[in-house]
Coordinates of all heavy atoms in Angstrom, one line a residue:
M1 N 7.2 28.3 11.2 CA 8.5 29.1 11.1 C 9.5 28.4 11.9 O 9.2 28.0 13.0 CB 8.3 30.5 11.5 CG 9.1 31.4 10.7 SD 8.3 33.0 10.7 CE 9.3 33.9 11.8
S2 N 10.8 28.3 11.5 CA 11.8 27.6 12.2 C 12.4 28.6 13.3 O 12.2 29.8 13.2 CB 12.9 27.1 11.3 OG 13.6 28.2 10.7
N3 N 13.2 28.0 14.2 CA 13.9 28.8 15.2 C 15.3 29.2 14.8 O 16.0 29.7 15.5 CB 13.9 28.0 16.5 CG 12.6 27.9 17.1 OD1 11.7 28.7 16.9 ND2 12.4 26.8 17.9
E4 N 15.6 29.0 13.5 CA 16.9 29.4 13.0 C 17.1 30.9 12.9 O 16.1 31.6 12.8 CB 17.1 28.8 11.6 CG 17.1 27.3 11.6 CD 17.3 26.7 10.2 OE1 17.8 27.5 9.3 OE2 16.9 25.6 9.9
N5 N 18.3 31.3 12.9 CA 18.6 32.8 12.8 C 18.2 33.2 11.4 O 18.4 32.5 10.4 CB 20.1 33.1 13.1 CG 20.4 32.9 14.5 OD1 19.5 33.1 15.4 ND2 21.6 32.6 14.8
P6 N 17.7 34.4 11.2 CA 17.4 34.9 9.9 C 18.7 35.0 9.1 O 19.8 35.2 9.6 CB 16.9 36.3 10.1 CG 16.7 36.5 11.6 CD 17.4 35.4 12.3
P7 N 18.6 34.9 7.7 CA 19.8 35.0 6.9 C 20.5 36.4 7.0 O 19.8 37.4 7.2 CB 19.3 34.8 5.5 CG 17.8 35.1 5.6 CD 17.4 34.8 6.9
A8 N 21.8 36.4 7.0 CA 22.5 37.7 7.1 C 22.3 38.5 5.8 O 22.3 38.0 4.7 CB 24.0 37.4 7.3
L9 N 22.0 39.8 6.0 CA 21.9 40.7 4.9 C 23.2 41.6 4.9 O 23.6 42.0 6.0 CB 20.7 41.6 5.1 CG 19.4 40.9 5.0 CD1 18.2 41.8 5.5 CD2 19.1 40.4 3.6
P10 N 23.8 41.8 3.8 CA 25.0 42.6 3.7 C 24.8 44.0 4.2 O 23.8 44.6 3.9 CB 25.4 42.5 2.3 CG 24.2 42.2 1.5 CD 23.3 41.4 2.4
D11 N 25.8 44.5 4.9 CA 25.7 45.9 5.3 C 26.2 46.8 4.2 O 27.1 46.5 3.4 CB 26.6 46.2 6.5 CG 26.1 45.5 7.8 OD1 24.9 45.4 7.8 OD2 26.9 45.2 8.7
R12 N 25.6 48.0 4.1 CA 26.0 49.0 3.1 C 26.5 50.2 3.9 O 26.0 50.4 5.0 CB 24.8 49.5 2.3 CG 23.9 48.4 1.7 CD 24.6 47.8 0.5 NE 23.7 47.0 -0.2 CZ 24.0 45.9 -0.9 NH1 25.3 45.6 -1.1 NH2 23.1 45.2 -1.5
T13 N 27.5 50.9 3.4 CA 28.0 52.0 4.2 C 27.8 53.3 3.4 O 28.1 53.4 2.2 CB 29.6 51.8 4.3 OG1 29.8 50.6 5.0 CG2 30.1 52.9 5.2
D14 N 27.1 54.2 4.1 CA 26.9 55.5 3.5 C 28.1 56.3 3.5 O 29.1 56.0 4.1 CB 25.8 56.3 4.3 CG 24.4 55.9 3.9 OD1 24.2 55.4 2.8 OD2 23.5 56.3 4.6
S15 N 28.1 57.4 2.7 CA 29.3 58.2 2.6 C 29.8 58.8 3.9 O 30.9 59.2 4.1 CB 29.1 59.4 1.6 OG 28.0 60.1 2.0
D16 N 28.8 58.9 4.9 CA 29.2 59.5 6.2 C 29.6 58.4 7.1 O 29.6 58.6 8.4 CB 28.1 60.3 6.7 CG 26.8 59.5 6.9 OD1 26.8 58.3 6.6 OD2 25.8 60.1 7.4
S17 N 30.0 57.2 6.6 CA 30.5 56.1 7.4 C 29.5 55.5 8.3 O 29.8 54.7 9.2 CB 31.7 56.5 8.2 OG 32.8 56.9 7.4
E18 N 28.2 55.8 8.1 CA 27.1 55.2 8.9 C 26.8 53.9 8.2 O 26.5 53.8 7.0 CB 25.9 56.1 8.9 CG 24.7 55.6 9.6 CD 23.6 56.5 9.5 OE1 23.7 57.7 9.2 OE2 22.4 56.0 9.7
T19 N 26.8 52.8 8.9 CA 26.4 51.5 8.3 C 24.9 51.3 8.3 O 24.2 51.5 9.2 CB 27.0 50.3 9.1 OG1 28.4 50.5 9.2 CG2 26.7 49.0 8.5
V20 N 24.4 51.1 7.0 CA 23.0 51.0 6.8 C 22.8 49.8 5.9 O 23.4 49.6 4.9 CB 22.4 52.2 6.1 CG1 21.0 52.1 5.8 CG2 22.7 53.5 6.9
S21 N 21.8 48.9 6.3 CA 21.4 47.8 5.5 C 20.0 48.0 4.9 O 19.2 48.6 5.6 CB 21.4 46.5 6.3 OG 22.7 46.2 6.8
Y22 N 19.8 47.6 3.7 CA 18.6 47.7 3.0 C 18.1 46.4 2.5 O 19.0 45.5 2.1 CB 18.6 48.7 1.8 CG 18.9 50.1 2.2 CD1 20.1 50.7 2.2 CD2 17.8 50.9 2.7 CE1 20.4 52.0 2.6 CE2 18.1 52.2 3.1 CZ 19.3 52.7 3.0 OH 19.6 54.0 3.4
A23 N 16.8 46.1 2.6 CA 16.3 44.8 2.1 C 15.0 45.1 1.4 O 14.4 46.2 1.6 CB 16.1 43.9 3.2
V24 N 14.6 44.2 0.5 CA 13.3 44.3 -0.2 C 12.4 43.2 0.4 O 12.8 42.0 0.5 CB 13.5 44.1 -1.7 CG1 12.2 44.1 -2.4 CG2 14.4 45.2 -2.2
D25 N 11.2 43.6 0.8 CA 10.1 42.6 1.2 C 9.5 42.1 -0.1 O 8.8 42.8 -0.8 CB 9.1 43.4 2.0 CG 8.0 42.5 2.6 OD1 7.8 41.4 2.0 OD2 7.4 42.9 3.6
T26 N 9.8 40.9 -0.4 CA 9.3 40.3 -1.7 C 7.8 40.1 -1.8 O 7.3 39.9 -2.8 CB 10.1 39.0 -2.0 OG1 9.8 38.0 -1.0 CG2 11.6 39.2 -2.2
R27 N 7.2 40.1 -0.6 CA 5.7 40.0 -0.6 C 5.0 41.2 -1.3 O 4.0 41.1 -1.9 CB 5.2 39.8 0.8 CG 5.7 38.6 1.5 CD 5.3 38.6 3.0 NE 5.8 39.8 3.6 CZ 5.5 40.2 4.8 NH1 4.7 39.4 5.6 NH2 6.0 41.3 5.4
T28 N 5.6 42.4 -1.0 CA 5.1 43.6 -1.5 C 6.0 44.4 -2.4 O 5.6 45.5 -2.9 CB 4.7 44.5 -0.3 OG1 5.9 44.8 0.4 CG2 3.7 43.9 0.6
N29 N 7.2 43.9 -2.6 CA 8.2 44.6 -3.4 C 8.6 46.0 -2.8 O 9.0 46.9 -3.5 CB 7.8 44.7 -4.8 CG 9.1 44.8 -5.7 OD1 10.1 44.2 -5.4 ND2 8.9 45.5 -6.8
R30 N 8.4 46.1 -1.5 CA 8.8 47.4 -0.8 C 10.2 47.3 -0.3 O 10.7 46.3 0.2 CB 7.9 47.6 0.5 CG 6.5 48.0 0.1 CD 5.6 48.1 1.3 NE 6.1 49.2 2.2 CZ 5.6 49.4 3.4 NH1 4.7 48.6 4.0 NH2 6.1 50.4 4.2
L31 N 10.9 48.4 -0.5 CA 12.3 48.6 -0.1 C 12.3 49.2 1.3 O 11.5 50.1 1.6 CB 13.0 49.5 -1.0 CG 14.5 49.9 -0.7 CD1 15.4 48.7 -0.9 CD2 14.9 51.0 -1.6
G32 N 13.1 48.7 2.2 CA 13.2 49.2 3.6 C 14.6 49.1 4.2 O 15.4 48.3 3.8
Q33 N 14.8 50.0 5.1 CA 16.1 50.0 5.8 C 15.9 49.0 7.0 O 14.9 49.0 7.7 CB 16.4 51.4 6.4 CG 17.6 51.5 7.2 CD 17.9 52.9 7.8 OE1 17.2 53.8 7.4 NE2 18.8 53.0 8.7
V34 N 16.8 48.1 7.2 CA 16.8 47.1 8.3 C 17.1 47.9 9.6 O 18.2 48.4 9.8 CB 17.8 46.0 8.0 CG1 17.7 45.0 9.2 CG2 17.5 45.3 6.7
M35 N 16.0 47.9 10.4 CA 16.2 48.6 11.7 C 16.6 47.7 12.8 O 17.3 48.1 13.7 CB 14.9 49.4 12.0 CG 14.4 50.3 11.0 SD 15.7 51.6 10.6 CE 15.7 52.5 12.1
D36 N 16.0 46.4 12.8 CA 16.2 45.5 13.9 C 15.8 44.1 13.4 O 15.2 44.0 12.4 CB 15.5 46.0 15.1 CG 16.0 45.4 16.4 OD1 17.0 44.6 16.4 OD2 15.4 45.6 17.5
R37 N 16.1 43.2 14.2 CA 15.5 41.8 14.1 C 14.8 41.5 15.4 O 15.4 41.6 16.5 CB 16.6 40.8 13.8 CG 17.4 41.1 12.5 CD 18.6 40.2 12.4 NE 19.5 40.6 11.4 CZ 19.5 40.1 10.2 NH1 18.8 39.1 9.9 NH2 20.4 40.6 9.3
H38 N 13.5 41.1 15.3 CA 12.8 40.9 16.5 C 11.8 39.8 16.3 O 11.1 39.8 15.3 CB 12.0 42.2 16.9 CG 11.2 42.0 18.2 ND1 11.8 41.9 19.4 CD2 9.9 41.9 18.4 CE1 10.9 41.8 20.3 NE2 9.7 41.8 19.7
A39 N 11.7 38.8 17.2 CA 10.8 37.7 17.2 C 10.9 37.0 15.8 O 9.9 36.6 15.2 CB 9.4 38.2 17.4
G40 N 12.1 36.8 15.3 CA 12.3 36.1 14.1 C 12.0 36.8 12.8 O 12.1 36.3 11.7
C41 N 11.7 38.1 12.9 CA 11.4 38.9 11.7 C 12.3 40.1 11.6 O 12.9 40.5 12.6 CB 10.0 39.5 11.8 SG 8.7 38.3 11.5
L42 N 12.5 40.6 10.4 CA 13.3 41.8 10.2 C 12.3 42.9 10.4 O 11.1 42.8 9.9 CB 13.8 41.8 8.8 CG 14.8 40.8 8.4 CD1 15.2 40.9 6.9 CD2 16.1 41.0 9.2
Q43 N 12.7 44.0 11.0 CA 11.9 45.2 11.1 C 12.4 46.2 10.1 O 13.6 46.6 10.2 CB 11.9 45.8 12.5 CG 11.2 44.8 13.4 CD 11.2 45.4 14.9 OE1 12.2 45.9 15.3 NE2 10.1 45.3 15.5
L44 N 11.6 46.5 9.1 CA 12.0 47.4 8.0 C 11.3 48.7 8.1 O 10.1 48.8 8.5 CB 11.7 46.7 6.6 CG 12.3 45.4 6.4 CD1 11.9 44.8 5.0 CD2 13.8 45.4 6.4
R45 N 12.0 49.8 7.7 CA 11.4 51.1 7.7 C 11.6 51.7 6.3 O 12.7 51.6 5.7 CB 12.0 52.0 8.7 CG 11.5 53.5 8.7 CD 12.1 54.3 9.7 NE 11.7 53.9 11.0 CZ 12.3 54.2 12.1 NH1 13.4 54.9 12.1 NH2 11.9 53.8 13.3
P46 N 10.6 52.4 5.7 CA 10.9 53.1 4.4 C 12.1 54.0 4.5 O 12.3 54.7 5.6 CB 9.6 53.9 4.2 CG 8.6 53.2 5.0 CD 9.3 52.7 6.2
P47 N 12.9 54.1 3.5 CA 14.1 55.0 3.5 C 13.9 56.4 3.9 O 14.7 57.1 4.5 CB 14.7 54.8 2.1 CG 14.1 53.6 1.6 CD 12.8 53.4 2.2
Q48 N 12.7 56.9 3.5 CA 12.4 58.3 3.7 C 11.8 58.5 5.1 O 11.4 59.6 5.4 CB 11.5 58.9 2.6 CG 10.1 58.3 2.5 CD 10.1 57.0 1.7 OE1 11.1 56.4 1.4 NE2 8.9 56.6 1.4
G49 N 11.7 57.5 5.9 CA 11.0 57.5 7.2 C 9.6 57.0 7.2 O 9.0 56.9 6.1
G50 N 9.1 56.8 8.3 CA 7.7 56.3 8.4 C 7.6 55.1 9.3 O 8.5 54.8 10.1
V51 N 6.5 54.4 9.2 CA 6.2 53.3 10.1 C 7.0 52.0 9.7 O 6.9 51.7 8.5 CB 4.7 53.1 10.2 CG1 4.4 51.9 11.1 CG2 4.0 54.3 10.6
E52 N 7.6 51.4 10.7 CA 8.3 50.1 10.4 C 7.2 49.0 10.2 O 6.1 49.1 10.7 CB 9.1 49.7 11.6 CG 10.3 50.7 11.8 CD 11.1 50.3 13.0 OE1 10.9 49.2 13.6 OE2 12.0 51.1 13.4
W53 N 7.7 48.0 9.5 CA 6.8 46.8 9.3 C 7.7 45.6 9.5 O 8.9 45.6 9.3 CB 6.1 46.8 8.0 CG 6.9 46.5 6.8 CD1 7.0 45.2 6.2 CD2 7.7 47.4 6.0 NE1 7.9 45.3 5.1 CE2 8.3 46.6 4.9 CE3 8.0 48.7 6.0 CZ2 9.1 47.1 4.0 CZ3 8.8 49.3 5.1 CH2 9.4 48.5 4.0
D54 N 7.1 44.5 9.8 CA 7.8 43.2 10.0 C 7.8 42.4 8.7 O 6.8 42.3 8.0 CB 7.1 42.4 11.1 CG 7.3 43.0 12.5 OD1 8.2 43.7 12.7 OD2 6.4 42.7 13.4
C55 N 8.9 41.8 8.5 CA 9.1 41.0 7.3 C 9.8 39.7 7.7 O 10.9 39.7 8.2 CB 9.9 41.7 6.2 SG 10.2 40.7 4.8
P56 N 9.1 38.5 7.5 CA 9.7 37.3 7.8 C 11.0 37.1 6.9 O 11.0 37.5 5.7 CB 8.7 36.2 7.4 CG 7.4 36.9 7.4 CD 7.7 38.4 7.0
P57 N 12.1 36.6 7.4 CA 13.3 36.6 6.7 C 13.3 35.8 5.4 O 14.0 36.1 4.4 CB 14.3 35.9 7.6 CG 13.5 35.3 8.7 CD 12.2 36.0 8.8
E58 N 12.4 34.8 5.3 CA 12.2 34.1 4.1 C 11.6 34.9 2.9 O 11.7 34.5 1.8 CB 11.4 32.8 4.3 CG 10.0 33.0 4.7 CD 9.8 33.0 6.2 OE1 10.8 33.1 7.0 OE2 8.7 32.8 6.6
Y59 N 11.1 36.1 3.3 CA 10.5 36.9 2.2 C 11.4 38.2 2.0 O 10.9 39.1 1.4 CB 9.1 37.4 2.6 CG 8.1 36.2 2.6 CD1 7.7 35.7 3.8 CD2 7.7 35.7 1.4 CE1 6.8 34.6 3.8 CE2 6.8 34.6 1.4 CZ 6.4 34.1 2.6 OH 5.5 33.0 2.6
A60 N 12.6 38.2 2.6 CA 13.4 39.4 2.5 C 14.6 39.0 1.6 O 15.1 37.8 1.6 CB 13.9 39.8 3.8
R61 N 15.1 39.9 0.8 CA 16.3 39.7 0.0 C 17.1 41.0 0.1 O 16.5 42.1 0.3 CB 16.0 39.4 -1.5 CG 15.4 40.5 -2.2 CD 15.4 40.2 -3.7 NE 14.6 41.3 -4.5 CZ 15.1 42.4 -4.8 NH1 16.4 42.8 -4.4 NH2 14.4 43.3 -5.5
P62 N 18.4 40.9 0.0 CA 19.2 42.1 0.1 C 18.9 43.0 -1.1 O 18.6 42.6 -2.2 CB 20.7 41.6 0.0 CG 20.6 40.2 0.4 CD 19.2 39.7 0.0
A63 N 18.9 44.3 -0.9 CA 18.7 45.3 -1.9 C 19.9 45.3 -2.9 O 21.0 45.1 -2.5 CB 18.5 46.7 -1.3
S64 N 19.5 45.5 -4.2 CA 20.6 45.6 -5.2 C 21.3 46.9 -5.1 O 20.9 47.8 -4.3 CB 19.9 45.5 -6.6 OG 19.2 46.6 -6.9
E65 N 22.4 47.1 -5.8 CA 23.1 48.4 -5.8 C 22.2 49.5 -6.2 O 22.2 50.6 -5.6 CB 24.3 48.3 -6.7 CG 25.4 47.4 -6.2 CD 26.0 47.9 -4.9 OE1 26.2 49.1 -4.7 OE2 26.4 47.0 -4.0
A66 N 21.4 49.3 -7.2 CA 20.5 50.4 -7.7 C 19.4 50.7 -6.7 O 19.1 51.9 -6.4 CB 19.8 49.9 -9.0
E67 N 18.9 49.7 -6.0 CA 17.9 49.9 -5.0 C 18.5 50.6 -3.8 O 17.8 51.5 -3.2 CB 17.3 48.6 -4.6 CG 16.4 47.9 -5.6 CD 16.1 46.5 -5.4 OE1 16.9 45.8 -4.7 OE2 15.0 46.0 -5.8
T68 N 19.7 50.3 -3.4 CA 20.4 50.9 -2.3 C 20.6 52.4 -2.7 O 20.4 53.3 -1.8 CB 21.7 50.2 -2.0 OG1 21.4 48.9 -1.7 CG2 22.5 50.9 -0.9
L69 N 21.0 52.7 -3.9 CA 21.2 54.1 -4.3 C 19.9 54.8 -4.2 O 19.9 56.0 -3.7 CB 21.8 54.2 -5.7 CG 22.1 55.5 -6.2 CD1 23.0 56.3 -5.3 CD2 22.6 55.5 -7.6
R70 N 18.8 54.2 -4.7 CA 17.5 54.9 -4.7 C 17.1 55.2 -3.2 O 16.6 56.2 -2.9 CB 16.5 54.0 -5.3 CG 15.1 54.5 -5.3 CD 14.2 53.7 -6.2 NE 14.2 52.3 -5.9 CZ 13.2 51.6 -5.4 NH1 12.0 52.3 -5.1 NH2 13.2 50.4 -5.1
A71 N 17.4 54.2 -2.3 CA 17.1 54.4 -0.9 C 17.9 55.5 -0.3 O 17.3 56.3 0.5 CB 17.3 53.1 -0.1
K72 N 19.1 55.6 -0.6 CA 20.0 56.7 -0.1 C 19.5 58.0 -0.5 O 19.5 59.0 0.2 CB 21.4 56.5 -0.5 CG 22.1 55.3 0.2 CD 23.5 55.1 -0.2 CE 24.2 54.0 0.4 NZ 25.6 53.8 0.0
V73 N 19.1 58.1 -1.8 CA 18.6 59.4 -2.3 C 17.3 59.8 -1.7 O 17.2 61.0 -1.2 CB 18.5 59.3 -3.9 CG1 17.7 60.5 -4.4 CG2 19.8 59.2 -4.6
A74 N 16.4 58.8 -1.5 CA 15.2 59.1 -0.8 C 15.4 59.6 0.6 O 14.8 60.5 1.1 CB 14.3 57.9 -0.8
R75 N 16.3 58.9 1.3 CA 16.6 59.3 2.7 C 17.2 60.7 2.8 O 16.9 61.5 3.6 CB 17.6 58.3 3.2 CG 17.8 58.4 4.7 CD 18.5 57.2 5.3 NE 19.4 57.6 6.3 CZ 20.7 57.2 6.4 NH1 21.2 56.3 5.6 NH2 21.5 57.7 7.3
R76 N 18.2 61.0 1.9 CA 18.8 62.3 1.9 C 17.8 63.4 1.6 O 17.8 64.5 2.2 CB 20.0 62.4 0.9 CG 21.1 61.5 1.2 CD 21.9 62.0 2.3 NE 23.1 61.1 2.5 CZ 23.6 60.8 3.6 NH1 23.2 61.3 4.7 NH2 24.7 60.0 3.7
N77 N 16.9 63.1 0.6 CA 15.9 64.1 0.3 C 15.0 64.4 1.5 O 14.6 65.5 1.8 CB 15.1 63.7 -0.9 CG 15.8 63.8 -2.2 OD1 16.8 64.6 -2.3 ND2 15.4 63.1 -3.2
A78 N 14.6 63.3 2.2 CA 13.7 63.5 3.3 C 14.4 64.2 4.4 O 13.8 65.1 5.1 CB 13.3 62.1 3.8
E79 N 15.7 63.9 4.6 CA 16.5 64.7 5.7 C 16.6 66.1 5.3 O 16.5 67.0 6.2 CB 17.9 64.1 5.8 CG 17.9 62.7 6.5 CD 19.3 62.1 6.5 OE1 20.2 62.6 5.8 OE2 19.4 61.0 7.1
S80 N 16.7 66.5 4.0 CA 16.8 67.9 3.7 C 15.5 68.6 3.9 O 15.5 69.8 4.3 CB 17.3 68.0 2.2 OG 16.3 67.6 1.3
R81 N 14.4 67.9 3.7 CA 13.1 68.5 4.0 C 12.9 68.7 5.5 O 12.2 69.7 5.9 CB 11.9 67.6 3.4 CG 11.8 67.7 1.9 CD 10.5 67.0 1.5 NE 10.5 65.6 1.8 CZ 11.0 64.6 1.0 NH1 11.6 65.0 -0.1 NH2 10.9 63.4 1.3
W82 N 13.4 67.8 6.3 CA 13.3 68.0 7.7 C 14.3 68.9 8.3 O 14.3 69.2 9.5 CB 13.5 66.6 8.4 CG 12.6 65.5 8.0 CD1 11.3 65.7 7.6 CD2 12.8 64.1 8.0 NE1 10.7 64.5 7.3 CE2 11.7 63.5 7.6 CE3 13.9 63.4 8.3 CZ2 11.6 62.1 7.4 CZ3 13.8 62.0 8.1 CH2 12.7 61.4 7.7
G83 N 15.3 69.4 7.5 CA 16.3 70.3 8.0 C 17.4 69.7 8.8 O 18.0 70.3 9.6
L84 N 17.7 68.4 8.5 CA 18.7 67.7 9.2 C 20.1 67.8 8.5 O 20.2 67.9 7.4 CB 18.4 66.2 9.4 CG 17.1 65.9 10.1 CD1 16.8 64.4 10.1 CD2 17.2 66.4 11.6

């Protein structure tokens, strides 16, 4: 793995003005919210919450508009179940 910076992923903005980025781990086709970048990897978390996983940047791609919408819906549904 190189020491270069991971490729930039575009930020998405939720309706409440919170900046959220989503990416797809192409190894597993899992969609995740970009939480951080650490040790050369992206740290992704499922949109509805859960355990983060590491994804090397060469296996990440920005989420499409449809995937982003699906992530936002999953997140909002999870928040409503949690009473947030």
Side-chain angles (χ1 to χ4, degrees):
M1 217 154 105
S2 70
N3 290 331
E4 297 177 21
N5 289 332
L9 295 169
D11 288 335
R12 310 282 190 211
T13 304
D14 273 346
S15 59
D16 59 359
S17 299
E18 177 185 343
T19 301
V20 179
S21 294
Y22 294 99
V24 175
D25 183 339
T26 60
R27 299 171 302 173
T28 59
N29 206 33
R30 287 176 66 190
L31 176 69
Q33 180 180 350
V34 178
M35 302 305 292
D36 200 2
R37 296 171 196 258
H38 181 71
C41 287
L42 297 174
Q43 293 180 318
L44 303 176
R45 177 180 291 161
Q48 66 276 15
V51 178
E52 294 178 8
W53 76 94
D54 290 335
C55 178
E58 62 268 18
Y59 294 105
R61 68 167 175 79
S64 69
E65 292 293 325
E67 290 164 329
T68 299
L69 180 59
R70 181 171 51 112
K72 289 179 182 181
V73 169
R75 189 168 141 226
R76 297 283 186 214
N77 285 338
E79 288 173 353
S80 70
R81 286 191 297 272
W82 300 330
L84 299 176

